[in-house]
Amino acid sequence: MAFTPGSPNHPAYGAGHATVAGACVTVLKAFFKTINKTKSKSEPIKFSTLTERETPYSKPQPIQSYITSAEHECVRKTLPKAEADKLTIEGELNKLAMNVAMGRSFGGVHWRTDNTRSLILGEALAARILADITLDSNEKPTFEFRSFSRKSDGKPKMILIRQGRIYVDGDLVETNTSAL
């Protein structure tokens, strides 16, 4: 255990850091396009398709992916194209959420199950807030993203939020405050 005084005096579930990470990443996935959806499937958008500008009016260039290697005195090196093409926006956001969540486990503060369940709890809270936004704004936005949770075949569940309602894989779910 990393903390010599021992484990904390509070209950392990829900993990606060994981809940907040789940909520924050869910909002990012909802506000930014992270998937290309067709009638038959949804595919995450690859990082390599994104562009950035060096200055506001310069020509857009593909975003470069890097790796920092401890073997070479922490020098930043360009990630090989074959590896960079595997990175997705959604995958990097999910990885960020999991890293924030799991950081507390290393110190003996939480269990892995606390973190994975709390990421989903944060997602549910964010989804409810996003559902409220769809009713409160004049634009009537719709949000669609893939969930942290998985179906029995291992594929992520699709979340659709519109007109104050939340749909998981096409099924309307009860999302009033007491249901959370």
Side-chain angles (χ1 to χ4, degrees):
M1 198 179 289
F3 300 113
T4 54
S7 61
N9 293 326
H10 61 74
Y13 179 79
H17 285 74
T19 304
V20 171
C24 291
V25 165
T26 297
V27 169
L28 289 171
K29 289 193 300 188
F31 271 83
F32 296 101
K33 185 175 180 180
T34 60
I35 56 171
N36 283 325
K37 190 166 189 274
T38 63
K39 288 183 180 182
S40 60
K41 62 182 176 178
S42 61
E43 290 291 323
I45 296 174
K46 294 184 184 253
F47 228 76
S48 58
T49 63
L50 301 177
T51 59
E52 63 184 344
R53 296 172 189 268
E54 189 173 317
T55 61
Y57 301 105
S58 63
K59 182 180 176 187
Q61 300 293 323
I63 285 184
Q64 199 62 233
S65 298
Y66 298 97
I67 186 168
T68 304
S69 172
E71 296 173 11
H72 303 291
E73 301 175 14
C74 297
V75 174
R76 186 176 77 164
K77 295 172 49 176
T78 302
L79 194 62
K81 183 171 176 21
E83 292 298 313
D85 284 344
K86 295 177 187 177
L87 299 177
T88 65
I89 301 166
E90 177 190 60
E92 293 302 298
L93 288 171
N94 288 346
K95 191 185 332 176
L96 174 65
M98 186 55 85
N99 286 341
V100 169
M102 289 304 291
R104 303 283 285 168
S105 293
F106 304 136
V109 179
H110 288 287
W111 303 98
R112 182 183 177 119
T113 53
D114 302 334
N115 299 326
T116 54
R117 295 300 300 161
S118 293
L119 285 172
I120 294 168
L121 174 64
E123 181 179 82
L125 293 168
R128 180 67 256 164
I129 292 167
L130 291 166
D132 290 343
I133 289 171
T134 64
L135 294 176
D136 292 344
S137 65
N138 291 331
E139 291 83 9
K140 304 296 181 214
T142 297
F143 300 106
E144 192 168 21
F145 55 92
R146 297 191 325 172
S147 176
F148 290 117
S149 60
R150 302 283 190 245
K151 298 182 261 190
S152 58
D153 64 2
K155 294 181 180 173
K157 296 177 181 179
M158 281 300 302
I159 310 294
L160 172 65
I161 302 172
R162 71 169 175 237
Q163 298 174 346
R165 297 201 178 349
I166 301 171
Y167 300 87
V168 178
D169 285 336
D171 296 327
L172 176 65
V173 296
E174 182 61 41
T175 59
N176 59 40
T177 306
S178 62
L180 293 175

